[in-house]
Amino acid sequence: MTDQMYHVALASRPSGAPTAENFRYEARPMPVPGENEVLVRVHYMSLDPYMRGRMDDAKSYAKPVEIGATMEAGAVGEVIASNSPAFKPGDFAFGMFGWATHGCLKANLLRKVDPTQVPITTSLGVLGMPGFTGWFGLTELGKPKAGETLVVAAATGPVGSMVGQVAKSLGLRAVGVAGGADKCRLAVETFGFDACLDHRAYATAADLRQALAAECPDGVDIYFENVGGKVLSAVVPLMNNFGRIPICGMISWYNAGGLGAGASDPDITAPALWRNILVKFLSVNGFIISNHFDRFPAFMAQVAPKVASGEIAYVEDVAEGLENAPAAFMALLKGGNMGKQIVKVI
Amino acid sequence: MTDQMYHVALASRPSGAPTAENFRYEARPMPVPGENEVLVRVHYMSLDPYMRGRMDDAKSYAKPVEIGATMEAGAVGEVIASNSPAFKPGDFAFGMFGWATHGCLKANLLRKVDPTQVPITTSLGVLGMPGFTGWFGLTELGKPKAGETLVVAAATGPVGSMVGQVAKSLGLRAVGVAGGADKCRLAVETFGFDACLDHRAYATAADLRQALAAECPDGVDIYFENVGGKVLSAVVPLMNNFGRIPICGMISWYNAGGLGAGASDPDITAPALWRNILVKFLSVNGFIISNHFDRFPAFMAQVAPKVASGEIAYVEDVAEGLENAPAAFMALLKGGNMGKQIVKVI
């Protein structure tokens, strides 16, 4: 075991879209596990849109990453040293190790991952936080009913693809939105969406709305919100009475000047949004999956066997090398990935 | 019985705030009750902010009033002819008779009003649609818990004053917002609010927010939304995690150019609103009380005795004469009334 590891630190806060200068790849001393701590050599690390929010110092549901500190991430790897009876070297564990080659955490902050049923990468996507987010948000907050129509954007991402597949399994019509013809094909052919629209093919929210209306002849009952912006603006006027909008993200606005009261959007205004909620009796619920970890065992019990059997599909996009994580992350925020974005660390 | 009655018709659609030219007071033939119909001579008619929405032809939860048709309103009066065994002359009944001296409706569209327990005017306010709206929205959608903090605007109106009084009875801190020092005094002294802020005393949403923050030292758990605009913008950043926002109206935006996607507000943007819902896990629910009439008996059973005993207070502002209804309505939209606005028709 060497006495050095590597991590990616937040070098500076971005204004707008992050750039390479906001990140710093550097060596740091290898941690030594203390009491009840476990040292893990990271194999795969997750990249997720929420990390953009951690780079700002705006008040949010989570603290910002400090300048100079390790960028936050969930990751999975092999235990190489353990001072906990719960883990032994050779075990695989998921934890919030950050953008780093190694991580050292208390055992109670780790989740053991069984590498024999499904690949360990699934703990980052389809069977990790994103898949759980899609499953929980749709089933608990979306209140889906057979015959209804659902719209979700980023339809080939790990959240959207779970939402679409669960919706289909419950008898809903599932219409996706994604960026590019390849993603739309993937959404329909691999994830079973009834239709998927390429938002890049529509210059305005009104154009996208018209195309969505054609694919949603009975209106939209559930809009699973993970992007905001043009898609939100397109969908909201199509919502049916008593529709539900679970909100787990708004990636299109993440670079919008910190999203303070000053940030605006050309497509939709606050009064228009509010009016739609009022006159259609919508139920809009923001959530973060970390408030609902009590439901994780139920999620795994229900979904893991379907992933193992292939009934639930997943697609991963793997970047090679921790030093390339910033570039992969910047691409992710622009929709450059296809499926769940992962970084292979070793 | 004469062969003429009077009504106020919608003469033209307003752009922005309604003006006298949008209304036409005129005679029309007295209706003759058909099978199962009841003819009522209206004593009191209700004026409510929602009527502004009916004057536009934008898609909403209710159809717009047609040009030339009677303006919509709930009203209460005395039965003067009946072809239904359920009503006899001399009975009092509430119905959607419109801005009119008389109304003729099927008996199943009327609600009998007992004039012996409380004044019949209460059927328009504290024990009518507005009071029911406040009670239902707070107790069902606001999910109030003792010790929490509630904010409601139009605090001396028939909705806000019910919300505040129910909140206090459940052990919440109730902070009102109203227009003018007189209303604020009424909110505290008559309706028991812990505090009430005069939004006219604060030039900006940020100023109002600062004053609200001082009155809500533990943040805001429930914002009962009936106004939108500056108050919404002031309150949203003060919301606590897992806060609830029932929306029953947005009067400050009702004149905002039809509230289409083009209407904007200088104080708050769609991204800022959406971000607050997301990062604070808010639950935002639009509703209209007409979808929940199944709960009206429960409301009456719980609240009517408290109104009769004086435990729940109400204040009415009575304009004289149907011909003055347009002026009273225009004043209402500017906050010129004190308490529930009613028109004495005879």
Side-chain angles (χ1 to χ4, degrees), chain B:
Chain B
M1 196 159 80
T2 69
D3 58 356
Q4 275 205 328
M5 57 171 278
Y6 291 87
H7 77 146
V8 176
L10 179 65
S12 57
R13 302 207 184 277
S15 77
T19 61
E21 291 67 42
N22 300 131
F23 304 94
R24 191 171 59 239
Y25 177 78
E26 63 188 6
R28 50 180 285 182
M30 181 69 71
V32 178
E35 194 180 355
N36 273 319
E37 286 186 342
V38 178
L39 181 64
V40 170
R41 181 172 188 181
V42 171
H43 288 209
Y44 295 96
M45 168 192 125
S46 181
L47 287 176
D48 301 277
Y50 78 84
M51 297 166 179
R52 174 64 187 82
R54 302 291 195 278
M55 301 177 77
D56 292 330
D57 58 5
K59 181 172 156 54
S60 185
Y61 41 55
K63 277 190 202 155
V65 175
E66 300 290 326
I67 300 290
T70 305
M71 284 289 296
E72 186 177 324
V76 61
E78 187 178 350
V79 173
I80 55 175
S82 174
N83 287 330
S84 160
F87 289 89
K88 61 179 192 303
D91 283 348
F92 283 87
F94 170 90
M96 297 302 291
F97 302 124
W99 296 26
T101 56
H102 297 74
C104 186
L105 290 172
K106 295 274 185 196
N108 65 350
L109 296 176
L110 303 181
R111 174 161 55 82
K112 200 170 282 191
V113 171
D114 177 355
T116 66
Q117 301 299 310
V118 288
I120 60 172
T121 54
T122 59
S123 69
L124 306 180
V126 65
L127 292 178
M129 183 272 290
F132 182 32
T133 295
W135 176 86
F136 175 87
L138 176 60
T139 58
E140 294 281 324
L141 303 175
K143 303 191 194 314
K145 290 184 265 301
E148 290 189 332
T149 298
L150 164 125
V151 171
V152 64
T156 59
V159 177
S161 58
M162 178 63 74
V163 168
Q165 291 181 90
V166 172
K168 287 307 298 174
S169 76
L170 295 173
L172 283 80
R173 177 169 177 82
V175 176
V177 176
D182 288 351
K183 287 186 182 176
C184 287
R185 201 173 311 114
L186 182 68
V188 172
E189 293 177 1
T190 300
F191 296 123
F193 280 86
D194 295 290
C196 187
L197 296 175
D198 175 6
H199 63 79
R200 294 175 183 174
Y202 304 94
T204 68
D207 291 346
L208 177 58
R209 182 179 309 133
Q210 192 171 15
L212 271 171
E215 294 295 350
C216 304
D218 299 325
V220 178
D221 300 291
I222 306 173
Y223 171 50
F224 190 102
E225 171 66 299
N226 51 3
V227 296
K230 187 164 84 172
V231 180
L232 169 64
S233 177
V235 173
V236 157
L238 304 179
M239 293 298 294
N240 289 330
N241 285 355
F242 305 104
R244 287 82 67 196
I245 304 183
I247 308 180
C248 75
M250 37 194 283
I251 185 172
S252 81
W253 282 330
Y254 283 175
N255 286 331
L259 292 173
S264 188
D265 190 271
D267 285 327
I268 193 157
T269 67
L273 251 186
W274 223 229
R275 179 178 189 279
N276 271 279
I277 297 172
L278 170 58
V279 304
K280 294 174 179 174
F281 328 121
L282 304 182
S283 181
V284 182
N285 286 276
F287 74 103
I288 185 175
I289 199 60
S290 52
N291 286 325
H292 305 282
F293 277 155
D294 58 311
R295 301 298 313 283
F296 192 76
F299 163 69
M300 286 298 279
Q302 194 174 117
V303 177
K306 294 181 180 175
V307 171
S309 72
E311 184 181 338
I312 287 186
Y314 64 97
V315 171
E316 295 171 344
D317 193 334
V318 183
E320 296 279 338
L322 179 64
E323 65 279 16
N324 295 317
F329 180 61
M330 290 182 275
L332 167 75
L333 290 178
K334 293 178 178 135
N337 58 311
M338 180 78 86
K340 168 63 196 165
Q341 183 66 53
I342 286 171
V343 176
K344 188 172 190 307
V345 175
I346 64 164

Side-chain angles (χ1 to χ4, degrees), chain A residues 283-302:
Chain A
S283 180
V284 181
N285 287 276
F287 75 105
I288 185 174
I289 200 60
S290 53
N291 286 326
H292 305 281
F293 277 155
D294 58 312
R295 300 298 314 281
F296 192 75
F299 164 68
M300 286 297 280
Q302 195 174 118

Side-chain angles (χ1 to χ4, degrees), chain A residues 211-291:
Chain A
L212 271 171
E215 294 294 350
C216 303
D218 299 324
V220 178
D221 300 290
I222 306 173
Y223 172 49
F224 190 103
E225 169 67 297
N226 50 2
V227 296
K230 187 164 85 173
V231 180
L232 169 65
S233 177
V235 173
V236 157
L238 304 178
M239 292 298 296
N240 289 329
N241 286 355
F242 306 104
R244 287 82 67 196
I245 305 183
I247 308 180
C248 76
M250 37 195 282
I251 185 170
S252 81
W253 282 329
Y254 283 175
N255 287 332
L259 293 171
S264 189
D265 190 271
D267 284 328
I268 193 157
T269 67
L273 251 185
W274 223 230
R275 180 178 189 278
N276 271 279
I277 297 173
L278 170 59
V279 305
K280 295 173 178 174
F281 328 120
L282 304 183
S283 180
V284 181
N285 287 276
F287 75 105
I288 185 174
I289 200 60
S290 53
N291 286 326

Side-chain angles (χ1 to χ4, degrees), chain A residues 26-42:
Chain A
E26 63 187 7
R28 50 179 285 181
M30 180 71 69
V32 177
E35 193 179 356
N36 273 319
E37 287 187 341
V38 177
L39 181 64
V40 170
R41 182 172 185 180
V42 171

